[in-house]
Every structure is written in structure tokens, then in C-alpha cells.
Amino acid sequence: MATIYNCSEQDELLTGMRLARVAIGRGELVVFPTDTVYGLAVDAFNTYGVQRLLDAKGRTRQSPPPVLIPGIPTLDALAETVPPEVRALVAEFWPGGLTVILPANPSLDWDLGETGGTVALRMPNNRLALELLSETGPLAVSSANLTGEIAARTAQDAERMLGDSVEVYLDGGEVGLDYEAAGLGSTIVDATGLIDGGALKIVRHGVITEARIEAVLEKFSAENAP
């Protein structure tokens, strides 16, 4: 039976983080807190593990998971192209609740599902998540709930839905409280159109409002007008 580790207790934190790293190294599933909701995670480069994640969620390969990363250098490594507008957005909203879809670096040896050659990237604003990511590298992560259920905001909610399909649960308390729209996931934007001179599209509304995104893009345009 999977164990929930209370990360407010130092001993449980150290044990839980160690076992989470081991589990991820084996292609097993781990649940940990992000700034928005709890995430169900696996090594992004472990094809078997990614399929386990999709199976646990009740999803098909047509719903590939986003990838959480520890910082901007990993963004540049995983994305083939990063438009300047995206750099302005991540400067404003990372770490935080914005996920950006970009063309994936074609040299990457991974299989996240039917991505169409893209990857959805986010740097979360959570200490536990960033510490784990800094040690494991990029993780394929989806919200820690069954498809159709409300995203978990506590480790206990995640465990109730996912049970023994997860090897380790890291309990960082209730999450999402730093956002006005608590309980929503990250806002997902498709930035692939910017590469060909098109527009950025919001494909899922979340904790970062459309108005805040538009304000950053308007400022970028004004500062870079001919």
C-alpha cells in the first residue's frame, strides 16, 4: 500500500523525497504538490512510466501529459523554438500557473503520446516540486485525479482517487490558496502560432487570467514596436 509522507515533518520529508526519487527512477508514479493542484508524476523519458500515468488517469495517448521543469535552461533544452513573447510571459508568470505549448526539440528521445510534435511546459511555484524536479529532471505530470473528477488539492484527495497505482504520496498541505481562483489548474496557452507570425491561443483557462496574459503581450508589443 502506498504511503503518504507528511512533508511538514523533517523526517518524513527526507524519507518521502528519497523514496520519490527512487520511484521516479524506476518509472513508477509519484504524487506531489504544485502551486495549483496536486500532480501525478513520472519520468518524462520513461515510455513505460508515461503509459502507466495515462492508465492511472483513465486517459488515452490522445491526451499527452504536460511536462514540469525546474527552470528556464530546461525550457530551452526541451523546446525547439522559444518566441520572444513566450520569454516575456515566463518572465512574468514563472514559477507559477502558466503552461506553454511549444514545438518540442526533435532530438528528444521520449514518447508522451500523440503530441503532434509539441510539448506543454511549466515551472511550478512550489518548493517541494522544484526541489524534486531539480533532482529528477523533467517530469510528465497531470493533475492527481481520475479523468472527470475534481483535481486534488490535498494528498488525501489524490490517494482516495488513485490509490495503489501511485508508489509515493508527498503531502505538502492544501494547495491553490495563493490564487484567487483556487482549485483551478494552470492556464494553458498554445504559443506555436507565434513562430509563424500568428497569435497565441488560450486552450485552457486556469489560475492566470486572460487579462493578465494580454497585458504582458501588449506591453511586449509596445516595447518592441518599430
Side-chain angles (χ1 to χ4, degrees):
M1 183 175 179
T3 302
I4 297 178
Y5 293 91
N6 180 0
C7 294
S8 65
E9 300 289 338
Q10 185 67 14
D11 288 346
E12 290 196 38
L13 168 64
L14 294 174
T15 300
M17 291 290 280
R18 176 176 58 80
L19 294 177
R21 293 193 300 270
V22 170
I24 288 168
R26 293 175 176 169
E28 295 168 342
L29 303 180
V30 170
V31 163
F32 61 80
T34 77
D35 48 313
T36 54
V37 296
Y38 271 72
L40 174 67
V42 73
D43 179 3
F45 292 93
N46 188 307
T47 301
Y48 170 72
V50 171
Q51 186 59 54
R52 288 186 67 185
L53 184 152
L54 294 174
D55 291 343
K57 287 275 296 184
R59 288 186 173 180
T60 67
R61 287 173 51 81
Q62 282 66 47
S63 301
V67 175
L68 294 190
I69 60 176
I72 300 298
T74 313
L75 166 68
D76 290 321
L78 300 185
E80 181 179 28
T81 305
V82 182
E85 295 92 336
V86 171
R87 295 198 183 278
L89 288 170
V90 300
E92 178 70 20
F93 298 119
W94 280 13
L98 182 71
T99 299
V100 182
I101 299 173
L102 290 166
N105 187 327
S107 69
L108 294 171
D109 183 19
W110 63 8
D111 182 5
L112 298 172
E114 302 301 324
T115 65
T118 65
V119 61
L121 299 169
R122 179 164 92 92
M123 179 186 179
N125 189 17
N126 179 278
R127 177 182 59 83
L128 287 175
L130 289 174
E131 181 178 338
L132 189 61
L133 287 162
S134 70
E135 296 174 345
T136 64
L139 295 176
V141 179
S142 187
S143 56
N145 59 278
L146 296 174
T147 297
E149 297 285 341
I150 296 174
R153 292 177 58 192
T154 67
Q156 290 73 24
D157 285 343
E159 195 274 339
R160 175 180 56 80
M161 288 183 276
L162 299 171
D164 290 340
S165 65
V166 174
E167 186 70 15
V168 176
Y169 290 86
L170 299 178
D171 182 2
E174 185 177 1
V175 300
L177 301 176
D178 293 334
Y179 295 102
E180 184 175 343
L184 293 183
S186 66
T187 298
I188 303 177
V189 297
D190 184 346
T192 57
L194 294 172
I195 296 167
D196 298 321
L200 179 140
K201 299 178 182 178
I202 297 179
V203 297
R204 186 181 78 181
H205 291 273
V207 294
I208 306 297
T209 65
E210 184 174 356
R212 293 183 65 195
I213 292 170
E214 289 178 348
V216 172
L217 294 177
E218 289 172 1
K219 181 180 178 182
F220 173 85
S221 295
E223 292 177 345
N224 293 274

